[in-house]
């Protein structure tokens, strides 16, 4: 992730240590300065996210990273960044919650990430990689989406992705979308009118309403343009497992086992959690009789699946909360149980 | 004589300049400006030394001094307030 | 679950170098262009206690990176044997550091390779190389990876951080290879 | 003598109440920036507080920050643009309450930016609640019988607090409650900006300022409150200056 | 609200000023001490919510209050309190967002409140009053629910409710549910075993999973027991307007107008937003042909309505973001437009 | 001479690394609480940091707090139970980084509880990142070439910082790097608790402590680091004592 | 929308006591056991600028507390007239403080009551009572509430905070009543 | 003579007591305890003054002193570690 970020031109990182994502600031602290960038170990997550606010307004590609409790502390800042329409990349390597919980992998922050844990009607783009090579690619793309849409992008990973090893083929950075000129940067008003970055919209009285109308349109545009989703053996699947991130990988083992037993099971794996790839789900609905949602939480992702298919098929659920992962065996059992 | 100007529409009537003037040369108007404030007026332009203490104290940049050398007339912007409170008082008598 | 991959677990005390051993395996596999995933777990403890590192090596794509039932368990101390032996698949393999494991395991449906890895490491003058010794034993037994790959991986991983240790670790690896008939 | 609106300020009426000290501080900052010729190099940060709209008055780049976080924002800004002039403008709620940690750590890291800290001993914008700098005995909407030493503790003295930090270059406390004070304040603020230009590190000027509205005093009484009450507790003066050994 | 809180035995309040809810701490600062309680103006919202954490563990009924940005800052703390199963009451008088936004009334924090803006799989009870008398009643009840379920309760109001006046009939406090003995209080271990309040669950490795399983059951119990909902003219309604809080009041004017024109329109108003009164919606579905969701946001509440009725009816939407309220006229227009 | 496990501690092995100072500090606290006879009146707070599990070792009521927030929790606890003994136990990350604001304000309000601040110049639990108190030149996982005075600023000195606050009753810095130091530390900690019993207000004892693991030193070397390096920067001594005029 | 309620707006500068005037109306209505809601708006400004307070008084339950199109507008200064006059319902009423309002409004489908409230207040020695004077005029004109109720409300609201001001405010109210023929 | 006891299962082998003993009366074992640590041993119980400096320094409360008056035997809990490293060494020769 870090390599990808630096490769993609990230030149500012601010973070505060928290397990399980300490590798990120540690890597950044030594490699970012070598690449001419700035690393700051902030005094807290609050300071970190607000440094990102400043860094983004200053015009550089920037990133922060944390894990669940730390990301909760960043919610106010994220709302501000979204409101100021500043691009940035935020990583959440989720751990078991609520509270201090534990440091195992989890997907318990889905709601926070996808619905928005901060205040107000804002949206952030949420990417959910499931392999290290994908993290590499999506991290690069995250900076592009952020700049393209002038919006925060969250990489929703988990403790496992943060601590596992897998070979990555290093690819040179190439933007995946057009990158508009940054005409909002604050760097002194020499030769131009002063610029203001702000989120308070008092006057005229309708200013904030209009801004929210604008945001609605902007978000609708993102929704229509950006939806990533992967499918596996869904062509003839009667039961479609829906899972994202690391859970999807585990599900594949279970699906392979089910296929061996002749069960027609496939997988749909959203890569963007917001925007949610509704179309892909709608497409699959035509064929599938049932869905099975598997997630490392007690049920958050499941709502979006239901909404995506307009509740038109039964949606079964297998969840594990508290930083524990479902084994392929468990998923297989569940598949067998719900498959009819 | 300093070319001192008080912008009556900028003035919010806080009176801080009044206390600050070493010559006691500022008073508050009896009429109101558009925002409903009684505003500061120079009492005697000739008496003003141009020391700018009033300016230093004014929170609203309502007082400016154009140039200390040249003499000139004090230009108090006319308030667009329609009636002075004095006039009102009279009516009530 | 489906045995297309080789699932390995390396387990011991925190500080015995289980993470490093896992890394070396993973790195060697990458050198041989195999698919590989690696993972680390510190158990429930933050400090002290047991640690383990799991690696999956395969010729095909790997989905789940978790190892629940290992094909091979490389065991550096007694608690790890107690914990992981029961999980080894039938006909799987346990490579055991008998220097620190006295009670022999209870399974009779698995293969066993015993090596006094800590003693050998001590005799080489660096007791921290027991993890590498045992890797040698494992490679010798299974031929899963080429010894040269492992040696390259050792060179690569140590030369950047602690070049002084390259030599003793290669020695340790070779001692491990030799320790198994 | 000449006295004109500085170029760094727009010719606009402010939203501040009559007799509010923020206006004076704005004017001083505008003059200093003009005099140093750095308007086009300056990036200001707006706090959340009565001065949140300062970008409506200042004629240069400004970023409005979350309540209390200007020091974090300015840290990033200044590190990325080391050749620009960055300053934070913060109230006592913003700097000394919710933003305590950010302020202390930016100061201690010796970030090379300037802080103008407007201490009016109250939360102005939200209607007059107790601030960390509210005086003992002072009535506010949340200490209606006056701040109590036992229940709410003594006022927090920011200059004194920061003076022990090795990273800090310059600390001075001034007031804008008389013309003389304002002139002193200007000198201090100019020095704080000059320090930044010279790369000396973190400089903070605390300005004792009037809030007649929330003190429920007339502007003249408010000036008296600063001169007679606040200065007694918050002693004006230089608290640290690395130039002076 | 404050009177109700004190009447219900609230004896600890910690808050940080923010418009539009400053009346709350101001009232509390003078009246709570008179009632023998403790008022602390905290140095920040973070401190405030953590004081509540301490106060609740110390065994007293306690409350904090804020508005949108301040509530974002409390998310970590709320997750901790939910994880520690401590009772407390939190009020959010929502204002326009995102970012600093404005200080008008808004319903933009629905997701944050109902889905959870903090990390991990926790739930908080969310009450949405629409009149001052209801605020009075629900505030009292909030303390009871909090104690009964050992869970945080959030009162989701808005800037208008915070600043309007309406006569309230003062009623003496009477618990609405059974109040279990507080056997978790920390007050020194004299004559008993030491107690621990904690949220870190490391050992055994399954501890947190088991705790999350338990939470799931607990939440299911709350869901089955606690659902408040009001209906207005739904008996024969072909179009049912769904709205909560102040918006529902505005909708009533529009509905009355529609009825005058012979349109069969009714209103369903959830009072508990979590648990969501699904049953009431299901009951209405039998008769209604269509739903119209009205909310002061760009669309957050609408998802829950869809899920409650299993997407079995078209759900139209009228939203206003940015701290603006829909007028009865606008709602009426929309009713006319969607009514067929 | 007699030396036994205090009643305030359970007879358990800790999870701390060999040579970790937390164990010594625990023992001292246990002894002090025994000697003052307040075990059944005591409510401790656990930080997030290596000492998060301290409730597994202490034989009295404990509340585990969010990272950095023990002072807020303790404030509420003590105000509600003024007759109980409340203390916070905090690391340098917990107290001097993320929890700076809570610490300063509780101290300044003069809350009548006791803080034991374990300064090991590193983030122990998360694996050895720089702390605010990390020494200049000290290597950590986030300052691999050593803390740089310019980039990361000088170490934050908590006792010096707090000494200007009027609300604070007692501040002392001690160490546990020699038996002698430990005995001094015990005296200081006892006084800090006694102050609370006597209602004197906020007392904080900063304890310089070893973290051999994350310093990547042997326990013996770690002791040397405290004695030779840390004490030079963090000078032991009494920084404030309202008893002494 | 449905004219079952009387919707009133009081508007002026911040500081002219519009909030207090609204409160007095609301309180008086409560005393008469009517249904009532009150609301305050500071416009877009935090400080200075205009403020307004809206009250709905009714014999039946009030749903929406918002006043978009008032039945009665009590106008304390010029900007408030400019802003709210166009919103008054047809055949509605404007009560205008002509001391501070010079341009007469543009609507000819509403009723008007003019009173020099500020001048009268000044003459009573307390210019801050203009808000109460104008209330008197409003009550005299509409009889919406009993004068006694308003006087009780004034007594109640002032006596707790500023008892010294009770008398002058009652005077002001009476002056307002008398100011309208 | 002090009745000093080192609990070898509590000891984590940090050696801090060794440096602290003014009599140089503590050494580290050559065998390991159950947690794999070499642990502290009293060299000569007669030589111990009971000054408790070692106890003051021990982070793991592994050293206790029962009573200074009475004499008694040092009770070092037997480690359950099976082989000493010395034995292992021998095997390798
Ligand atoms: C997170 C958050 N908390 C609280 C507020 C509300 N708030 C706005 S300004 C302010 C305090 C203003 O006081 P101060 O900083 O002293 O500035 P002043 O208005 O006195 O100049 C507060 C608490 C907010 N906007 N955001
Ligand atoms: C909000 C939040 N941020 C970060 C962390 C991760 N974290 C846990 S402990 C710790 C620092 C520990 O350092 P210190 O307070 O010095 O205690 P030590 O372990 O050194 O005793 C951090 C950053 C967390 N748990 N929660
Ligand atoms: S310039 Fe000086 S003398 Fe002239 S009016 Fe101002 S204060 Fe008075
Ligand atoms: S100081 Fe300025 S605003 Fe105040 S009265 Fe004088 S001119 Fe007017
Ligand atoms: S409330 Fe106080 S600080 Fe704010 S503008 Fe008015 S006088 Fe100034
Ligand atoms: S990491 Fe450091 S502070 Fe934590 S237990 Fe180990 S030695 Fe102690
Ligand atoms: S008690 Fe004193 S003499 Fe005896 S072993 Fe311990 S340090 Fe040495
Ligand atoms: S100090 Fe304690 S833990 Fe360390 S070696 Fe000595 S007895 Fe063992
Ligand atoms: Mg202030
Ligand atoms: Mg530490």
């Amino acid at each position: 992730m870090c390599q990808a970020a630096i490769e993609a031109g990230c030149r500012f990182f601010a973070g505060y240590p928290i397990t399980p994502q300490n590798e990120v600031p540690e890597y950044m602290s030594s490699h970012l300065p070598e690449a001419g960038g700035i690393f700051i170990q902030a005094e807290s997550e609050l300071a970190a996210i607000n440094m990102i606010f400043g860094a983004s307004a200053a015009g550089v590609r920037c990133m922060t990273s944390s894990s669940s409790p730390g990301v909760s502390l960043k919610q106010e800042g994220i709302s501000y960044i979204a409101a100021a329409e500043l691009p940035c990349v935020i990583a959440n390597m989720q751990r078991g919650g609520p509270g201090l919980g534990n440091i195992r992998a989890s997907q318990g922050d889905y709601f926070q990430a996808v619905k928005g844990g901060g205040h107000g009607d804002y949206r952030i783009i949420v990417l959910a990689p499931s392999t290290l090579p994908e993290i590499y690619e999506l991290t690069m793309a995250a900076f592009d989406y952020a700049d393209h849409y002038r919006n925060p992008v969250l990489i929703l990973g988990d403790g496992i992705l943060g601590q596992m090893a897998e070979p990555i083929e290093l690819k040179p950075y190439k933007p995946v979308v057009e990158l508009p000129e940054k005409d909002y940067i604050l760097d002194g008003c020499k030769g131009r009118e002063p610029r203001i970055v702000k989120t308070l919209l008092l006057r005229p009285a309708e200013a904030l309403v209009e801004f929210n109308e604008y945001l609605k349109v902007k978000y609708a545009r993102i929704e229509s343009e950006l939806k990533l989703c992967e499918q596996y053996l869904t062509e003839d699947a009667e039961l479609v497992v829906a899972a994202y991130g690391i859970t999807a990988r585990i599900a594949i083992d279970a699906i392979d086992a089910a296929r061996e037993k002749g069960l027609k099971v496939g997988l749909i794996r959203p890569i963007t959690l917001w925007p949610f790839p509704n179309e892909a789900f709608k497409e699959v609905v035509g064929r599938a009789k049932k869905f099975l949602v598997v997630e490392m939480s007690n049920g958050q992702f499941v709502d979006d699946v239901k909404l995506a298919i307009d509740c038109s098929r039964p949606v079964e659920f297998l969840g594990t909360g508290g930083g524990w992962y479902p084994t392929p065996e468990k998923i297989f059992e569940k598949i067998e149980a719900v498959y009819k | 004589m300093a070319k001192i100007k008080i912008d009556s529409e900028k003035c919010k009537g806080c009176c801080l300049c009044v206390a600050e003037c070493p010559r006691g040369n500022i008073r508050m108007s009896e009429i109101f400006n558009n925002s409903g404030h009684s505003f500061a007026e120079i009492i005697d332009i000739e008496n003003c030394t141009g020391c700018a203490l009033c300016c230093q104290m004014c929170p609203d940049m309502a007082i400016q001094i154009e140039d200390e050398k040249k003499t000139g007339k004090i230009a108090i912007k006319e308030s667009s307030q329609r009636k002075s409170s004095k006039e009102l008082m009279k009516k009530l008598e | 679950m489906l045995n297309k991959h080789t699932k390995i677990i390396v387990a011991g005390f925190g500080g015995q170098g289980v993470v490093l051993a896992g890394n070396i395996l993973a790195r060697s596999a990458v050198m041989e262009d195999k698919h590989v995933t690696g993972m680390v777990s510190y158990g429930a403890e933050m400090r002290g206690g047991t640690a383990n590192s799991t690696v999956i090596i395969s010729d095909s794509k790997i989905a789940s990176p978790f190892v629940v039932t290992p094909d091979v368990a490389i065991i550096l101390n007694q608690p790890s044997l107690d914990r992981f032996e029961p999980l080894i698949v039938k006909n799987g393999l346990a490579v055991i550091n008998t220097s620190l494991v006295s009670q022999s395991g209870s399974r009779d449906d698995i293969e066993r390779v015993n090596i006094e890895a800590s003693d050998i490491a001590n005799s080489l003058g660096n007791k921290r190389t027991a993890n590498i010794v045992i890797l040698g034993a494992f490679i010798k037994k299974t031929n899963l990876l080429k010894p040269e790959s492992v040696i390259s991986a050792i060179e690569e991983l140590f030369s950047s951080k602690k070049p002084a240790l390259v030599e003793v670790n290669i020695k340790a690896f070779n001692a491990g290879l030799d320790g198994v008939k | 003598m000449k006295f004109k609106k500085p170029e760094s300020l727009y010719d606009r009426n402010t939203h501040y109440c009559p007799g509010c000290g923020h206006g004076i501080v704005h004017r001083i900052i505008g003059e200093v920036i003009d005099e140093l010729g750095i308007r086009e190099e300056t990036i200001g940060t707006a706090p959340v507080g009565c001065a949140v709209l300062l970008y409506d008055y200042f004629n240069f780049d400004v970023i409005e920050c979350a309540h209390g976080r200007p020091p974090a924002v300015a840290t990033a800004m200044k590190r990325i643009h080391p050749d620009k002039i960055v300053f934070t403008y913060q109230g006592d709620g913003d700097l000394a309450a919710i933003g305590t940690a950010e302020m202390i750590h930016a100061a201690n890291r010796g970030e090379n930016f300037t802080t103008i800290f407007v201490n009016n001993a109250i939360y102005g914008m939200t209607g007059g609640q107790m601030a960390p700098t509210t005086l003992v005995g002072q009535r506010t909407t949340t200490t209606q019988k006056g701040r109590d030493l036992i229940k709410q503790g003594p006022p927090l003295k920011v200059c004194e607090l920061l003076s022990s930090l090795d990273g800090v270059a310059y600390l001075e406390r001034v007031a804008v409650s008389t013309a003389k004070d304002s002139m002193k304040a200007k000198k201090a603020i100019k020095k704080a900006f000059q320090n930044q230009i010279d790369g000396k590190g973190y400089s903070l000027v605390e300005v004792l300022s009037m809030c007649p509205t929330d003190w429920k005093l007339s502007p003249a009484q408010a000036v008296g409150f600063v001169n007679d009450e606040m200065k007694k507790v918050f002693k004006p003066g230089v608290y640290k200056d690395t130039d002076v050994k």
Side-chain angles (χ1 to χ4, degrees), chain B residues 9-10 12 14 16 20 50 52-53 55-57 59-61 63-66 68, chain D residues 1-4 11 13-14 16 18-20 23-24 27 176-177 179 183 219 223:
Chain B
E9 282 309 323
K10 278 220 166 121
K12 290 187 186 138
C14 68
L16 296 184
E20 203 61 55
L53 291 176
C55 312
Q56 290 290 347
M57 198 61 205
D60 290 285
M61 290 235 66
I63 320 181
Q64 299 208 6
I65 303 182
E66 287 254 301
E68 58 181 332
Chain D
M1 183 55 82
K2 216 173 118 176
F3 198 94
K4 296 212 71 170
D11 188 14
N13 285 14
T14 68
Y16 299 115
C20 173
I24 307 178
R27 196 253 308 153
V176 288
S177 49
M183 290 186 275
V223 160

Coordinates of all heavy atoms in Angstrom, one line a residue, chain B residues 9-10 12 14 16 20 50 52-53 55-57 59-61 63-66 68, chain D residues 1-4 11 13-14 16 18-20 23-24 27 176-177 179 183 219 223:
Chain B
E9 N -21.0 55.1 8.3 CA -21.7 53.8 8.0 C -20.8 52.6 8.5 O -21.4 51.5 8.7 CB -22.0 53.7 6.5 CG -23.2 54.5 6.1 CD -24.4 54.2 7.0 OE1 -24.6 53.1 7.4 OE2 -25.2 55.2 7.3
K10 N -19.5 52.8 8.7 CA -18.7 51.8 9.2 C -18.8 51.8 10.8 O -18.6 50.7 11.4 CB -17.3 52.0 8.8 CG -16.9 51.5 7.4 CD -15.6 50.8 7.4 CE -15.4 50.0 6.2 NZ -14.2 50.4 5.4
K12 N -19.8 51.6 14.5 CA -20.9 50.8 15.2 C -21.2 51.5 16.5 O -21.9 50.8 17.3 CB -20.4 49.4 15.4 CG -20.4 48.6 14.1 CD -20.1 47.1 14.3 CE -19.9 46.4 13.0 NZ -18.8 45.4 13.1
C14 N -19.4 52.3 19.2 CA -18.9 51.7 20.4 C -18.3 52.7 21.4 O -18.1 52.4 22.6 CB -17.8 50.6 20.1 SG -16.3 51.3 19.5
L16 N -15.4 53.8 21.7 CA -14.0 53.6 22.2 C -13.1 54.7 21.8 O -12.2 55.1 22.5 CB -13.5 52.2 21.8 CG -14.2 51.0 22.3 CD1 -13.6 49.7 21.9 CD2 -14.3 51.1 23.8
E20 N -10.6 57.5 23.9 CA -9.1 57.5 23.6 C -8.6 58.9 23.1 O -7.4 59.1 23.3 CB -8.9 56.4 22.4 CG -7.6 55.8 22.3 CD -7.1 55.1 23.6 OE1 -7.9 54.2 24.1 OE2 -6.1 55.4 24.1
G50 N -4.1 64.7 14.7 CA -3.7 63.6 13.8 C -2.9 62.5 14.5 O -2.2 61.8 13.9
A52 N -3.9 59.9 15.7 CA -4.4 58.6 15.3 C -4.7 57.6 16.4 O -4.9 56.4 16.2 CB -3.4 57.9 14.3
L53 N -4.7 58.1 17.7 CA -5.0 57.1 18.8 C -6.4 56.6 18.6 O -6.7 55.5 18.9 CB -4.9 57.9 20.1 CG -3.4 58.2 20.5 CD1 -3.4 59.0 21.8 CD2 -2.6 56.9 20.6
C55 N -7.9 56.0 15.8 CA -7.8 55.0 14.8 C -7.3 53.7 15.4 O -7.7 52.6 15.0 CB -6.9 55.4 13.6 SG -7.1 57.1 13.0
Q56 N -6.3 53.8 16.2 CA -5.7 52.6 16.8 C -6.7 51.8 17.6 O -6.6 50.6 17.7 CB -4.6 53.0 17.8 CG -3.3 53.6 17.1 CD -2.5 52.5 16.4 OE1 -2.8 51.3 16.5 NE2 -1.6 53.0 15.5
M57 N -7.7 52.5 18.1 CA -8.6 51.9 19.0 C -9.9 51.4 18.3 O -10.6 50.6 18.7 CB -9.0 52.9 20.1 CG -9.7 52.3 21.3 SD -8.5 51.1 22.1 CE -9.7 50.0 22.9
P59 N -12.4 49.5 16.4 CA -12.5 48.1 16.0 C -13.0 47.9 14.6 O -13.0 46.8 14.0 CB -13.5 47.4 17.0 CG -13.7 48.4 18.0 CD -13.4 49.8 17.4
D60 N -13.5 49.0 14.0 CA -14.2 48.9 12.7 C -13.5 49.7 11.6 O -14.2 49.9 10.6 CB -15.7 49.2 12.9 CG -16.3 48.2 13.7 OD1 -16.6 47.1 13.1 OD2 -16.5 48.3 14.9
M61 N -12.3 50.1 11.8 CA -11.6 50.9 10.8 C -12.5 52.0 10.2 O -12.4 52.3 9.0 CB -11.2 49.9 9.6 CG -10.1 49.0 10.0 SD -8.7 49.1 8.9 CE -8.1 50.7 9.2
I63 N -12.3 55.1 11.2 CA -11.6 56.4 11.2 C -10.3 56.3 10.3 O -9.5 55.3 10.5 CB -11.2 56.8 12.6 CG1 -12.3 56.5 13.6 CG2 -10.8 58.3 12.6 CD1 -12.0 56.9 15.0
Q64 N -10.2 57.1 9.4 CA -9.0 57.2 8.6 C -8.4 58.5 8.6 O -9.1 59.5 8.7 CB -9.3 56.7 7.1 CG -9.8 55.3 7.0 CD -9.5 54.6 5.7 OE1 -8.8 55.1 4.9 NE2 -10.1 53.5 5.5
I65 N -7.1 58.6 8.4 CA -6.4 59.9 8.3 C -5.7 59.9 7.0 O -4.8 59.1 6.7 CB -5.4 60.2 9.4 CG1 -6.2 60.0 10.8 CG2 -4.8 61.5 9.3 CD1 -5.3 60.3 12.0
E66 N -6.1 60.9 6.1 CA -5.6 60.8 4.8 C -4.1 61.3 4.7 O -3.3 60.7 4.1 CB -6.4 61.7 3.9 CG -7.8 61.1 3.6 CD -7.9 60.6 2.2 OE1 -7.7 61.4 1.2 OE2 -8.1 59.4 2.0
E68 N -1.3 64.1 6.9 CA -1.2 65.0 8.0 C -0.8 66.4 7.6 O -1.1 67.4 8.2 CB -0.2 64.5 9.0 CG 1.2 64.3 8.4 CD 2.2 63.8 9.5 OE1 2.0 64.1 10.7 OE2 3.1 63.0 9.1
Chain D
M1 N 1.5 61.8 9.9 CA 0.7 60.7 10.3 C -0.4 60.4 9.2 O -0.9 61.3 8.6 CB 0.0 61.0 11.6 CG -0.8 59.8 12.2 SD 0.0 58.3 12.5 CE 0.9 58.5 14.0
K2 N -0.5 59.2 9.0 CA -1.5 58.7 7.9 C -2.1 57.5 8.5 O -1.4 56.7 9.2 CB -0.7 58.4 6.7 CG -1.4 58.8 5.4 CD -0.5 58.6 4.2 CE -1.1 57.6 3.3 NZ -0.3 57.4 2.0
F3 N -3.3 57.3 8.2 CA -3.9 56.0 8.7 C -5.0 55.5 7.8 O -6.1 56.1 7.7 CB -4.5 56.3 10.1 CG -4.8 55.1 10.9 CD1 -3.9 54.6 11.8 CD2 -5.9 54.3 10.7 CE1 -4.1 53.4 12.5 CE2 -6.2 53.2 11.4 CZ -5.2 52.7 12.3
K4 N -4.6 54.5 7.1 CA -5.5 54.0 6.0 C -5.8 52.5 6.2 O -4.9 51.8 6.8 CB -4.9 54.3 4.6 CG -4.8 55.8 4.3 CD -5.0 56.0 2.9 CE -6.4 55.9 2.5 NZ -6.8 56.3 1.1
D11 N -12.4 46.4 2.0 CA -13.1 47.5 2.6 C -14.6 47.0 2.8 O -15.5 47.3 2.1 CB -13.1 48.6 1.5 CG -13.7 49.9 2.1 OD1 -13.9 50.0 3.4 OD2 -14.0 50.8 1.4
N13 N -17.7 46.1 6.0 CA -18.1 46.1 7.4 C -18.0 44.7 7.9 O -18.3 43.7 7.2 CB -19.5 46.6 7.5 CG -19.6 48.1 7.3 OD1 -18.7 48.7 6.8 ND2 -20.8 48.7 7.6
T14 N -17.6 44.6 9.1 CA -17.5 43.3 9.7 C -18.8 42.9 10.4 O -19.7 43.7 10.6 CB -16.4 43.2 10.8 OG1 -16.8 44.0 11.9 CG2 -15.1 43.7 10.2
Y16 N -18.7 41.8 13.4 CA -18.5 41.8 14.8 C -19.4 42.8 15.6 O -19.8 43.8 15.0 CB -17.0 42.2 15.1 CG -16.1 41.1 14.5 CD1 -15.2 41.5 13.5 CD2 -16.1 39.8 15.0 CE1 -14.3 40.5 12.9 CE2 -15.2 38.8 14.4 CZ -14.4 39.2 13.4 OH -13.6 38.2 12.8
P18 N -20.4 45.8 18.2 CA -19.7 47.1 18.5 C -18.7 46.9 19.7 O -19.0 46.3 20.7 CB -20.9 48.0 19.0 CG -22.1 47.4 18.3 CD -21.8 45.9 18.2
G19 N -17.5 47.4 19.5 CA -16.5 47.3 20.5 C -15.8 46.0 20.6 O -15.0 45.8 21.6
C20 N -16.0 45.1 19.7 CA -15.4 43.8 19.7 C -13.9 44.0 19.4 O -13.5 44.6 18.4 CB -16.0 42.9 18.8 SG -15.2 41.3 18.6
G23 N -12.0 43.1 15.7 CA -11.7 44.1 14.6 C -10.4 44.8 14.7 O -9.7 45.0 13.7
I24 N -10.0 45.1 15.9 CA -8.7 45.7 16.1 C -7.6 44.8 15.7 O -6.6 45.1 15.0 CB -8.5 46.2 17.6 CG1 -9.7 47.1 18.0 CG2 -7.2 46.9 17.8 CD1 -9.6 47.6 19.4
R27 N -7.2 44.5 12.0 CA -6.6 45.7 11.5 C -5.1 45.6 11.7 O -4.3 45.8 10.7 CB -7.1 46.9 12.1 CG -6.8 48.2 11.4 CD -5.8 49.0 12.1 NE -6.1 49.3 13.5 CZ -5.2 49.5 14.4 NH1 -3.9 49.5 14.1 NH2 -5.6 49.7 15.7
V176 N -5.5 44.8 23.4 CA -6.0 45.8 22.5 C -7.0 46.7 23.1 O -7.9 47.2 22.5 CB -6.5 45.2 21.2 CG1 -5.4 44.6 20.3 CG2 -7.6 44.2 21.5
S177 N -6.8 46.9 24.4 CA -7.8 47.6 25.2 C -7.5 49.1 25.3 O -8.3 49.9 25.9 CB -7.9 47.0 26.6 OG -6.7 46.9 27.1
A179 N -5.3 52.4 23.0 CA -4.5 52.6 21.7 C -3.0 52.3 21.9 O -2.4 51.7 21.0 CB -4.6 54.1 21.3
M183 N -0.8 49.5 19.9 CA 0.5 49.7 19.2 C 1.5 48.7 19.6 O 2.3 48.2 18.8 CB 0.9 51.1 19.4 CG 0.0 52.1 18.7 SD 0.5 53.8 18.7 CE -0.2 54.4 20.3
P219 N -19.1 48.7 25.6 CA -17.8 48.6 25.1 C -16.8 49.3 26.0 O -15.7 48.8 26.2 CB -17.9 49.3 23.7 CG -19.3 49.1 23.3 CD -20.1 49.1 24.5
V223 N -13.6 47.6 27.9 CA -12.2 48.0 27.9 C -11.7 48.0 29.4 O -10.6 47.6 29.7 CB -12.1 49.4 27.2 CG1 -10.9 50.1 27.6 CG2 -12.2 49.2 25.7

